[in-house]
Amino acid sequence: MNENTELNISEYYQTPLSSLSLPDNYKKLIKRIGNLNSSADKEFFVETVGDIIELDPIQLSGYKGVGSLYINTLIEFKKELSYFLNKTKEPDFTFKEDIFTSTDNSYDLYTPLHSLPLSPKYQKLIKKISAIMNNVKIVQDIIDIDIYSFSTLPYVGKLYVNLLINLQNTLAPTDINQSNSDVEKVEKELLPQNTLSTEQLETPLNTLALSTQYQKLIKKISIVSTMTQIFQSLFATELI
């Protein structure tokens, strides 16, 4: 970014980090480093811009509980400090920290979705959409999704719908953002939870394409159910 090269960051060493508009991942990093003071053999001070600049990623990586994600986040934070310092001069600046995890979030209608620096919950939304809809690969595809139709798909709750509305309003040109009336229509017609038909309720679980997480859960429930039946059988035999 041009603004990074124009700023002499050494002049801002004493600037409090709390005065910067930072995304969630950098806030979590600062909090994690601060929490090391209760267990590490030295104190980490992360109150100013200078504290972050002087913090050595290699040294930090030697402490228990500090994984590669935190180290990579620290490295990126160092690179983008100038950007955040410049943005303090713009009173109308608002970083969409709830959606993007990086300030480098330029895109157009043909940008692949996988290249967008989306926060985890929006990555999960994209994964959900990809699993139930075909040919959703670029920004334009997300914008083109009909909110009401999406809300009626199986296993799509209000949370996913609201996330999609937020994402569309962020990615779409201003003149085609979802209107309040569109949102209200979905909220009124969307049931608080998915209602399954009798036929759906009788569907065998082993015929569903479940994730590993739910397969493990079902396996545990099956084991517990089997053991319960065995104990009940043994108990009934002793009573005879």
Side-chain angles (χ1 to χ4, degrees):
M1 303 175 196
N2 292 334
E3 43 212 275
N4 283 7
T5 59
E6 296 172 359
L7 184 71
N8 182 1
I9 200 169
S10 63
E11 297 178 4
Y12 295 85
Y13 267 41
Q14 299 305 315
T15 301
L17 292 171
S18 59
S19 68
L20 304 181
S21 179
L22 300 175
D24 276 349
N25 57 330
Y26 293 150
K27 290 178 181 178
K28 290 178 182 178
L29 170 68
I30 294 170
K31 183 177 180 180
R32 182 68 185 94
I33 295 173
N35 288 340
L36 288 176
N37 291 334
S38 60
S39 58
D41 56 3
K42 64 165 290 186
E43 289 191 347
F44 290 94
F45 297 98
V46 283
E47 298 177 352
T48 67
V49 168
D51 293 335
I52 287 293
I53 292 175
E54 295 175 2
L55 188 57
D56 183 4
I58 296 178
Q59 179 187 25
L60 185 64
S61 67
Y63 289 91
K64 184 178 180 180
V66 179
S68 59
L69 178 60
Y70 283 113
I71 301 304
N72 291 334
T73 302
L74 174 59
I75 293 172
E76 289 301 314
F77 191 12
K78 285 172 173 279
K79 293 178 181 178
E80 296 186 343
L81 273 172
S82 293
Y83 177 88
F84 293 115
L85 290 171
N86 265 310
K87 285 302 179 182
T88 61
K89 304 172 185 178
E90 303 177 17
D92 295 331
F93 171 73
T94 302
F95 182 73
K96 296 183 176 66
E97 60 181 331
D98 189 47
I99 295 179
F100 296 112
T101 60
S102 171
T103 54
D104 184 14
N105 53 34
S106 59
Y107 57 87
D108 58 34
L109 296 178
Y110 301 98
T111 300
L113 295 173
H114 65 76
S115 68
L116 294 178
L118 297 174
S119 63
K121 61 182 179 181
Y122 284 95
Q123 291 181 16
K124 185 176 180 181
L125 169 67
I126 297 300
K127 185 176 181 180
K128 178 69 173 179
I129 292 173
S130 299
I132 59 178
M133 301 181 70
N134 296 323
N135 301 319
V136 180
K137 298 179 180 180
I138 61 176
V139 169
Q140 183 67 67
D141 295 333
I142 286 293
I143 296 172
D144 289 342
I145 295 176
D146 179 72
I147 292 295
Y148 180 70
S149 298
F150 178 71
S151 71
T152 62
L153 294 175
Y155 312 112
V156 173
K158 188 174 181 180
L159 175 60
Y160 281 119
V161 173
N162 288 336
L163 288 176
L164 178 57
I165 291 172
N166 291 341
L167 187 57
Q168 285 186 334
N169 285 341
T170 298
L171 298 178
T174 306
D175 58 338
I176 60 172
N177 278 359
Q178 292 290 335
S179 66
N180 290 334
S181 60
D182 292 334
V183 177
E184 290 173 0
K185 175 184 177 183
V186 172
E187 289 182 343
K188 287 180 181 179
E189 299 192 29
L190 183 63
L191 294 175
Q193 62 183 23
N194 292 313
T195 303
L196 301 179
S197 65
T198 302
E199 182 180 354
Q200 289 174 319
L201 290 171
E202 294 177 351
T203 301
L205 291 175
N206 60 7
T207 64
L208 300 178
L210 299 175
S211 66
T212 303
Q213 175 187 0
Y214 293 117
Q215 290 178 18
K216 289 181 179 179
L217 174 61
I218 291 172
K219 185 176 181 180
K220 287 182 179 179
I221 294 174
S222 177
I223 292 174
V224 171
S225 177
T226 300
M227 293 301 295
T228 300
Q229 292 177 4
I230 292 174
F231 284 127
Q232 288 177 340
S233 176
L234 291 174
F235 182 71
T237 301
E238 290 178 358
L239 291 179
I240 296 175

